[in-house]
Amino acid sequence: MIEDLIGRWDGEEVVVRFDRPSGTWMFLCIHSTRLGPAAGGTRMKTYARPGDALRDALGLSAAMTLKLAAVDLPFGGGKAVLDVPGPIGGEDRRGLLLRYADLLRSLGGTYRTGPDVNTSPEDMDVIAERAPYVFCRTEAAGGSGDPGPHTARGVFHGIRSSIGYAFGSDDLHGRVILVQGVGDVGAPLAAYLAAAGARVLISDIAADRVTEVAARIGAEVVAPGEAMRTECDVYAPCALGGTLNEETIPGLRCRVVAGSANNQLAEPEDAERLRAAGILYAPDFLINAGGALYALGLEALGWTRERIEERHEGIGKTLVEIYRQADAEGIPTAAAAERLARSRLDQAA
Ligand code: PHE
Protein backbone atom coordinates (compact mmCIF):
# COMPACT_ATOMS: atom_id res chain seq x y z
CA MET A 1 0.00 0.00 0.00
CA ILE A 2 2.68 2.52 1.00
CA GLU A 3 4.81 1.74 -2.02
CA ASP A 4 1.80 2.13 -4.34
CA LEU A 5 0.79 5.46 -2.81
CA ILE A 6 4.27 6.96 -2.84
CA GLY A 7 5.10 5.38 -6.20
CA ARG A 8 2.18 7.19 -7.86
CA TRP A 9 3.10 10.51 -6.21
CA ASP A 10 5.43 12.90 -8.00
CA GLY A 11 6.83 14.73 -4.96
CA GLU A 12 10.32 14.90 -3.48
CA GLU A 13 10.34 13.40 0.00
CA VAL A 14 8.16 11.70 2.61
CA VAL A 15 9.05 11.52 6.29
CA VAL A 16 7.16 9.02 8.45
CA ARG A 17 7.32 8.77 12.21
CA PHE A 18 5.26 6.71 14.61
CA ASP A 19 4.91 8.47 17.96
CA ARG A 20 4.54 5.72 20.54
CA PRO A 21 3.44 7.83 23.55
CA SER A 22 0.35 9.16 21.75
CA GLY A 23 -0.11 6.39 19.18
CA THR A 24 0.10 8.98 16.39
CA TRP A 25 1.33 8.43 12.84
CA MET A 26 3.13 11.49 11.46
CA PHE A 27 3.41 11.92 7.69
CA LEU A 28 5.40 14.91 6.43
CA CYS A 29 5.22 15.25 2.67
CA ILE A 30 7.58 17.60 0.88
CA HIS A 31 6.09 17.75 -2.57
CA SER A 32 8.24 20.42 -4.18
CA THR A 33 11.02 22.83 -3.23
CA ARG A 34 11.48 24.13 -6.76
CA LEU A 35 10.16 27.62 -6.01
CA GLY A 36 11.47 27.74 -2.42
CA PRO A 37 11.14 25.89 0.88
CA ALA A 38 8.01 23.74 1.06
CA ALA A 39 5.18 25.42 3.00
CA GLY A 40 1.83 24.08 4.13
CA GLY A 41 -0.21 23.39 7.22
CA THR A 42 -0.20 20.56 9.72
CA ARG A 43 -3.51 18.71 9.81
CA MET A 44 -4.60 16.72 12.85
CA LYS A 45 -7.24 14.11 12.23
CA THR A 46 -8.22 10.52 12.94
CA TYR A 47 -8.21 8.21 9.94
CA ALA A 48 -9.51 4.65 9.62
CA ARG A 49 -6.01 3.47 8.64
CA PRO A 50 -2.58 5.15 8.54
CA GLY A 51 -2.54 4.60 4.77
CA ASP A 52 -5.56 6.91 4.47
CA ALA A 53 -3.64 9.60 6.34
CA LEU A 54 -0.64 9.17 4.08
CA ARG A 55 -2.85 9.38 0.98
CA ASP A 56 -4.38 12.61 2.30
CA ALA A 57 -0.97 14.12 3.12
CA LEU A 58 0.45 13.24 -0.29
CA GLY A 59 -2.49 14.81 -2.12
CA LEU A 60 -2.63 17.89 0.09
CA SER A 61 1.10 18.53 -0.34
CA ALA A 62 0.74 18.43 -4.14
CA ALA A 63 -2.13 20.91 -3.87
CA MET A 64 0.12 23.26 -1.87
CA THR A 65 2.67 23.25 -4.71
CA LEU A 66 -0.04 24.27 -7.19
CA LYS A 67 -1.51 26.83 -4.76
CA LEU A 68 1.73 28.66 -4.02
CA ALA A 69 2.85 28.59 -7.67
CA ALA A 70 -0.57 29.75 -8.92
CA VAL A 71 -0.39 32.91 -6.81
CA ASP A 72 3.32 33.38 -7.50
CA LEU A 73 4.72 32.95 -3.99
CA PRO A 74 8.38 31.93 -3.64
CA PHE A 75 7.57 28.72 -1.77
CA GLY A 76 7.19 25.08 -2.63
CA GLY A 77 4.44 22.77 -1.45
CA GLY A 78 4.32 20.51 1.59
CA LYS A 79 1.85 19.23 4.13
CA ALA A 80 1.94 17.23 7.33
CA VAL A 81 -0.76 14.99 8.73
CA LEU A 82 -0.83 13.88 12.35
CA ASP A 83 -3.07 10.82 12.38
CA VAL A 84 -4.11 10.78 16.04
CA PRO A 85 -6.02 7.82 17.51
CA GLY A 86 -8.68 10.20 18.92
CA PRO A 87 -9.20 13.72 20.26
CA ILE A 88 -6.10 14.89 22.12
CA GLY A 89 -5.76 17.88 24.46
CA GLY A 90 -3.89 19.25 27.45
CA GLU A 91 -0.44 17.92 28.26
CA ASP A 92 -0.80 14.97 25.87
CA ARG A 93 -1.36 17.34 22.97
CA ARG A 94 1.54 19.53 24.06
CA GLY A 95 3.85 16.51 24.28
CA LEU A 96 2.84 15.33 20.82
CA LEU A 97 3.37 18.78 19.32
CA LEU A 98 6.82 19.11 20.91
CA ARG A 99 7.92 15.74 19.56
CA TYR A 100 6.52 16.73 16.17
CA ALA A 101 8.51 19.97 16.44
CA ASP A 102 11.72 18.00 16.99
CA LEU A 103 11.06 16.14 13.76
CA LEU A 104 10.29 19.41 11.95
CA ARG A 105 13.51 20.98 13.22
CA SER A 106 15.53 17.99 12.02
CA LEU A 107 14.48 18.83 8.45
CA GLY A 108 16.39 22.11 8.68
CA GLY A 109 13.76 24.36 7.11
CA THR A 110 12.98 22.36 3.93
CA TYR A 111 9.39 22.20 5.22
CA ARG A 112 7.74 25.13 7.04
CA THR A 113 4.40 24.62 8.62
CA GLY A 114 1.31 26.45 9.83
CA PRO A 115 -2.20 25.61 11.04
CA ASP A 116 -4.69 23.49 9.12
CA VAL A 117 -7.74 21.39 10.02
CA ASN A 118 -7.75 20.91 13.82
CA THR A 119 -4.57 22.84 14.56
CA SER A 120 -4.48 26.43 15.81
CA PRO A 121 -2.12 29.37 16.28
CA GLU A 122 -1.79 28.22 19.92
CA ASP A 123 -0.54 24.86 18.65
CA MET A 124 1.94 26.73 16.43
CA ASP A 125 3.24 28.55 19.54
CA VAL A 126 4.00 25.17 21.11
CA ILE A 127 5.75 23.86 17.98
CA ALA A 128 7.75 27.11 17.80
CA GLU A 129 9.22 26.42 21.23
CA ARG A 130 11.37 23.80 19.54
CA ALA A 131 11.37 24.55 15.80
CA PRO A 132 11.80 27.90 14.05
CA TYR A 133 9.97 26.89 10.86
CA VAL A 134 6.44 27.88 11.88
CA PHE A 135 3.98 30.39 10.41
CA CYS A 136 0.81 31.69 12.09
CA ARG A 137 1.84 31.67 15.73
CA THR A 138 -0.52 33.77 17.86
CA GLU A 139 -0.21 37.51 17.44
CA ALA A 140 0.74 37.70 21.14
CA ALA A 141 3.74 35.50 20.34
CA GLY A 142 4.70 37.64 17.35
CA GLY A 143 3.06 35.53 14.64
CA SER A 144 0.39 36.41 12.08
CA GLY A 145 -2.35 34.53 13.94
CA ASP A 146 -5.26 32.59 12.47
CA PRO A 147 -5.12 32.52 8.64
CA GLY A 148 -8.77 31.35 8.38
CA PRO A 149 -10.45 34.75 7.99
CA HIS A 150 -7.83 35.69 5.38
CA THR A 151 -8.46 32.52 3.41
CA ALA A 152 -12.13 33.56 3.62
CA ARG A 153 -11.28 37.01 2.25
CA GLY A 154 -9.66 35.48 -0.82
CA VAL A 155 -12.60 33.13 -1.34
CA PHE A 156 -14.99 36.08 -1.01
CA HIS A 157 -13.24 37.92 -3.85
CA GLY A 158 -13.13 34.67 -5.81
CA ILE A 159 -16.87 34.11 -5.42
CA ARG A 160 -17.64 37.65 -6.45
CA SER A 161 -15.54 37.36 -9.61
CA SER A 162 -17.03 33.95 -10.39
CA ILE A 163 -20.53 35.37 -10.08
CA GLY A 164 -19.52 38.26 -12.32
CA TYR A 165 -18.26 35.82 -14.93
CA ALA A 166 -21.24 33.47 -14.74
CA PHE A 167 -24.05 36.02 -14.49
CA GLY A 168 -22.62 39.17 -16.06
CA SER A 169 -22.76 41.19 -12.81
CA ASP A 170 -20.79 40.72 -9.62
CA ASP A 171 -23.49 42.30 -7.46
CA LEU A 172 -24.18 39.84 -4.64
CA HIS A 173 -27.62 41.21 -3.74
CA GLY A 174 -30.18 38.47 -4.17
CA ARG A 175 -27.59 35.83 -5.04
CA VAL A 176 -28.07 32.58 -3.14
CA ILE A 177 -24.83 31.14 -1.78
CA LEU A 178 -24.63 27.91 0.16
CA VAL A 179 -21.64 27.64 2.50
CA GLN A 180 -21.02 24.04 3.52
CA GLY A 181 -19.01 24.00 6.75
CA VAL A 182 -18.93 27.09 8.98
CA GLY A 183 -15.65 26.53 10.76
CA ASP A 184 -12.51 28.61 10.69
CA VAL A 185 -12.94 29.68 7.05
CA GLY A 186 -16.63 29.06 6.32
CA ALA A 187 -17.94 31.21 9.18
CA PRO A 188 -16.02 34.40 8.26
CA LEU A 189 -16.79 33.75 4.57
CA ALA A 190 -20.52 33.50 5.30
CA ALA A 191 -20.29 36.78 7.23
CA TYR A 192 -18.54 38.59 4.35
CA LEU A 193 -21.15 37.30 1.89
CA ALA A 194 -24.09 38.29 4.09
CA ALA A 195 -22.61 41.76 4.61
CA ALA A 196 -22.33 42.16 0.82
CA GLY A 197 -26.05 41.44 0.40
CA ALA A 198 -26.11 37.76 -0.58
CA ARG A 199 -28.75 35.38 0.70
CA VAL A 200 -26.57 32.94 2.63
CA LEU A 201 -27.52 29.32 3.35
CA ILE A 202 -25.25 27.41 5.72
CA SER A 203 -24.84 23.82 6.76
CA ASP A 204 -22.54 22.06 9.19
CA ILE A 205 -22.47 18.71 10.94
CA ALA A 206 -21.92 20.61 14.23
CA ALA A 207 -25.45 21.74 15.16
CA ASP A 208 -24.42 24.24 17.85
CA ARG A 209 -21.97 25.96 15.53
CA VAL A 210 -24.42 26.31 12.67
CA THR A 211 -27.10 27.73 14.98
CA GLU A 212 -24.70 30.30 16.40
CA VAL A 213 -23.44 31.47 12.99
CA ALA A 214 -26.97 31.60 11.53
CA ALA A 215 -28.19 33.82 14.36
CA ARG A 216 -25.13 36.07 14.23
CA ILE A 217 -25.12 36.80 10.49
CA GLY A 218 -28.76 36.16 9.57
CA ALA A 219 -28.27 33.01 7.47
CA GLU A 220 -30.69 30.15 6.83
CA VAL A 221 -29.76 26.65 7.96
CA VAL A 222 -29.80 23.67 5.61
CA ALA A 223 -29.49 20.10 6.91
CA PRO A 224 -26.04 18.62 6.18
CA GLY A 225 -27.51 15.81 4.06
CA GLU A 226 -29.42 18.31 1.90
CA ALA A 227 -26.60 20.78 1.28
CA MET A 228 -25.33 19.45 -2.02
CA ARG A 229 -28.83 19.00 -3.48
CA THR A 230 -30.04 22.48 -2.54
CA GLU A 231 -30.80 24.92 -5.32
CA CYS A 232 -28.44 27.92 -5.21
CA ASP A 233 -26.28 30.16 -7.38
CA VAL A 234 -23.03 29.20 -5.68
CA TYR A 235 -22.13 26.09 -3.74
CA ALA A 236 -19.12 26.86 -1.51
CA PRO A 237 -17.54 23.71 -0.03
CA CYS A 238 -15.68 24.89 3.08
CA ALA A 239 -15.36 21.67 5.07
CA LEU A 240 -13.24 18.65 4.22
CA GLY A 241 -12.38 17.81 0.60
CA GLY A 242 -13.65 15.18 -1.80
CA THR A 243 -17.31 16.30 -1.86
CA LEU A 244 -17.33 16.61 -5.66
CA ASN A 245 -17.48 13.17 -7.22
CA GLU A 246 -19.21 10.95 -9.73
CA GLU A 247 -22.20 10.48 -7.43
CA THR A 248 -22.70 14.06 -6.19
CA ILE A 249 -22.01 16.12 -9.33
CA PRO A 250 -25.16 15.02 -11.24
CA GLY A 251 -27.26 16.10 -8.23
CA LEU A 252 -25.84 19.62 -7.93
CA ARG A 253 -28.33 22.44 -8.52
CA CYS A 254 -25.93 25.37 -8.66
CA ARG A 255 -24.29 27.41 -11.42
CA VAL A 256 -20.94 27.90 -9.65
CA VAL A 257 -18.79 25.84 -7.27
CA ALA A 258 -16.41 28.11 -5.36
CA GLY A 259 -15.24 27.35 -1.82
CA SER A 260 -12.24 27.03 0.46
CA ALA A 261 -11.81 23.29 1.03
CA ASN A 262 -8.58 21.73 -0.17
CA ASN A 263 -8.84 18.91 -2.74
CA GLN A 264 -12.56 19.26 -3.46
CA LEU A 265 -12.48 16.91 -6.45
CA ALA A 266 -12.48 13.22 -5.51
CA GLU A 267 -10.62 12.43 -8.75
CA PRO A 268 -9.20 14.53 -11.62
CA GLU A 269 -12.05 13.46 -13.96
CA ASP A 270 -14.49 15.40 -11.77
CA ALA A 271 -13.17 18.66 -13.29
CA GLU A 272 -14.49 17.54 -16.69
CA ARG A 273 -17.74 16.28 -15.11
CA LEU A 274 -18.38 19.78 -13.73
CA ARG A 275 -17.58 21.39 -17.07
CA ALA A 276 -19.88 19.01 -18.92
CA ALA A 277 -22.65 19.79 -16.42
CA GLY A 278 -22.31 23.51 -17.19
CA ILE A 279 -21.03 24.33 -13.71
CA LEU A 280 -18.30 26.92 -13.34
CA TYR A 281 -15.68 25.52 -10.96
CA ALA A 282 -13.23 27.80 -9.14
CA PRO A 283 -10.11 25.61 -8.80
CA ASP A 284 -9.70 25.02 -5.08
CA PHE A 285 -5.96 25.58 -4.90
CA LEU A 286 -6.33 29.02 -6.47
CA ILE A 287 -9.43 30.39 -4.73
CA ASN A 288 -8.23 29.22 -1.29
CA ALA A 289 -4.74 30.72 -1.48
CA GLY A 290 -5.69 33.76 0.63
CA GLY A 291 -4.44 32.30 3.92
CA ALA A 292 -1.06 31.49 2.41
CA LEU A 293 -0.82 34.95 0.80
CA TYR A 294 -1.55 36.46 4.21
CA ALA A 295 0.76 34.35 6.38
CA LEU A 296 3.72 34.08 4.01
CA GLY A 297 3.27 37.64 2.76
CA LEU A 298 3.20 39.12 6.24
CA GLU A 299 5.77 36.90 7.94
CA ALA A 300 8.25 36.03 5.19
CA LEU A 301 7.93 38.72 2.53
CA GLY A 302 7.33 41.87 4.59
CA TRP A 303 4.06 42.76 2.84
CA THR A 304 1.71 45.42 4.19
CA ARG A 305 -1.98 44.69 4.92
CA GLU A 306 -2.88 46.81 1.86
CA ARG A 307 -0.67 44.68 -0.36
CA ILE A 308 -2.27 41.51 1.01
CA GLU A 309 -5.78 42.82 0.31
CA GLU A 310 -4.65 43.63 -3.26
CA ARG A 311 -3.38 40.09 -3.66
CA HIS A 312 -6.67 38.74 -2.31
CA GLU A 313 -8.51 40.75 -4.97
CA GLY A 314 -5.98 39.37 -7.43
CA ILE A 315 -7.32 35.87 -6.79
CA GLY A 316 -10.61 36.99 -8.33
CA LYS A 317 -8.84 38.54 -11.33
CA THR A 318 -6.74 35.43 -11.94
CA LEU A 319 -9.86 33.26 -11.75
CA VAL A 320 -11.53 35.29 -14.50
CA GLU A 321 -8.46 34.87 -16.73
CA ILE A 322 -8.54 31.14 -16.06
CA TYR A 323 -12.27 30.97 -16.89
CA ARG A 324 -11.74 32.81 -20.19
CA GLN A 325 -8.92 30.48 -21.22
CA ALA A 326 -10.86 27.38 -20.22
CA ASP A 327 -13.96 28.48 -22.15
CA ALA A 328 -11.98 29.49 -25.23
CA GLU A 329 -10.25 26.12 -25.34
CA GLY A 330 -13.08 23.93 -24.10
CA ILE A 331 -11.02 22.59 -21.20
CA PRO A 332 -11.87 22.32 -17.48
CA THR A 333 -11.04 25.38 -15.38
CA ALA A 334 -8.84 23.20 -13.14
CA ALA A 335 -6.71 22.31 -16.17
CA ALA A 336 -6.23 25.98 -17.03
CA ALA A 337 -5.25 26.82 -13.44
CA GLU A 338 -2.83 23.90 -13.31
CA ARG A 339 -1.23 25.07 -16.50
CA LEU A 340 -0.63 28.50 -14.94
CA ALA A 341 0.96 26.91 -11.86
CA ARG A 342 3.07 24.52 -13.95
CA SER A 343 4.36 27.33 -16.16
CA ARG A 344 5.79 29.01 -13.05
CA LEU A 345 7.34 25.74 -11.90
CA ASP A 346 8.83 25.13 -15.36
CA GLN A 347 10.31 28.62 -15.47
CA ALA A 348 12.11 27.94 -12.21
CA ALA A 349 13.46 24.59 -13.39
N1 PHE B 1 -3.37 25.51 5.85
C1 PHE B 1 -3.77 26.63 5.09
C2 PHE B 1 -3.74 26.32 3.58
O1 PHE B 1 -3.78 25.18 3.18
C3 PHE B 1 -3.04 27.91 5.42
C4 PHE B 1 -1.53 27.88 5.38
C5 PHE B 1 -0.85 27.97 4.18
C6 PHE B 1 -0.79 27.81 6.52
C7 PHE B 1 0.54 27.97 4.12
C8 PHE B 1 0.59 27.84 6.47
C9 PHE B 1 1.25 27.91 5.28
O2 PHE B 1 -3.72 27.16 2.76
Side-chain angles (χ1 to χ4, degrees), residues 15-29:
V15 179
V16 180
R17 172 163 297 187
F18 180 67
D19 180 59
R20 177 66 67 187
S22 66
T24 299
W25 287 91
M26 301 178 180
F27 297 105
L28 282 76
C29 300

Side-chain angles (χ1 to χ4, degrees), residues 39-41 64 67 79 113-116 135-136 147 262 288 291-292 296:
M64 285 307 302
K67 179 184 317 197
K79 202 89 176 190
T113 201
D116 196 72
F135 293 106
C136 306
N262 279 308
N288 74 13
L296 306 181

Side-chain angles (χ1 to χ4, degrees), residues 182-209:
V182 283
D184 200 38
V185 180
L189 172 64
Y192 281 134
L193 294 168
R199 185 177 147 213
V200 181
L201 313 180
I202 61 175
S203 83
D204 198 299
I205 47 173
D208 47 345
R209 190 157 65 196

Side-chain angles (χ1 to χ4, degrees), residues 11-273:
E12 292 174 12
E13 191 178 346
V14 179
V15 179
V16 180
R17 172 163 297 187
F18 180 67
D19 180 59
R20 177 66 67 187
S22 66
T24 299
W25 287 91
M26 301 178 180
F27 297 105
L28 282 76
C29 300
I30 298 172
H31 181 261
S32 171
T33 55
R34 194 175 278 179
L35 297 176
T42 297
R43 177 169 297 203
M44 196 185 282
K45 204 179 153 212
T46 302
Y47 295 82
R49 290 167 308 185
D52 297 334
L54 172 61
R55 183 188 293 109
D56 214 11
L58 293 169
L60 290 163
S61 70
M64 285 307 302
T65 299
L66 293 176
K67 179 184 317 197
L68 299 169
V71 294
D72 211 8
L73 282 168
F75 285 89
K79 202 89 176 190
V81 164
L82 305 182
D83 176 12
V84 287
I88 180 166
E91 281 307 305
D92 292 343
R93 186 182 186 95
R94 181 177 159 75
L96 167 63
L97 291 171
L98 290 175
R99 293 187 295 278
Y100 169 64
D102 288 338
L103 180 59
L104 190 63
R105 189 180 54 204
S106 75
L107 300 179
T110 5
Y111 169 58
R112 304 178 183 215
T113 201
D116 196 72
V117 172
N118 275 326
T119 58
S120 64
E122 287 73 20
D123 292 329
M124 298 305 118
D125 286 352
V126 175
I127 297 170
E129 288 179 30
R130 298 251 184 104
Y133 315 112
V134 186
F135 293 106
C136 306
R137 286 166 295 139
T138 60
E139 291 184 32
S144 60
D146 182 4
H150 306 276
T151 304
R153 192 73 198 156
V155 176
F156 171 72
H157 287 299
I159 288 179
R160 205 161 56 187
S161 295
S162 303
I163 285 179
Y165 188 80
F167 298 103
S169 158
D170 68 1
D171 185 358
L172 296 189
H173 286 91
R175 290 285 163 215
V176 183
I177 304 176
L178 188 143
V179 179
Q180 181 184 43
V182 283
D184 200 38
V185 180
L189 172 64
Y192 281 134
L193 294 168
R199 185 177 147 213
V200 181
L201 313 180
I202 61 175
S203 83
D204 198 299
I205 47 173
D208 47 345
R209 190 157 65 196
V210 83
T211 312
E212 184 274 314
V213 175
R216 180 157 49 83
I217 69 166
E220 297 156 56
V221 177
V222 172
E226 295 301 312
M228 293 193 73
R229 293 192 297 244
T230 300
E231 194 171 342
C232 56
D233 292 314
V234 180
Y235 161 57
C238 297
L240 293 172
T243 59
L244 299 164
N245 57 51
E246 207 175 352
E247 269 88 62
T248 58
I249 290 170
L252 288 174
R253 290 162 72 205
C254 60
R255 172 70 181 87
V256 176
V257 172
S260 69
N262 279 308
N263 293 0
Q264 295 169 24
L265 307 178
E267 50 180 5
E269 292 74 22
D270 296 317
E272 174 55 25
R273 289 192 181 105

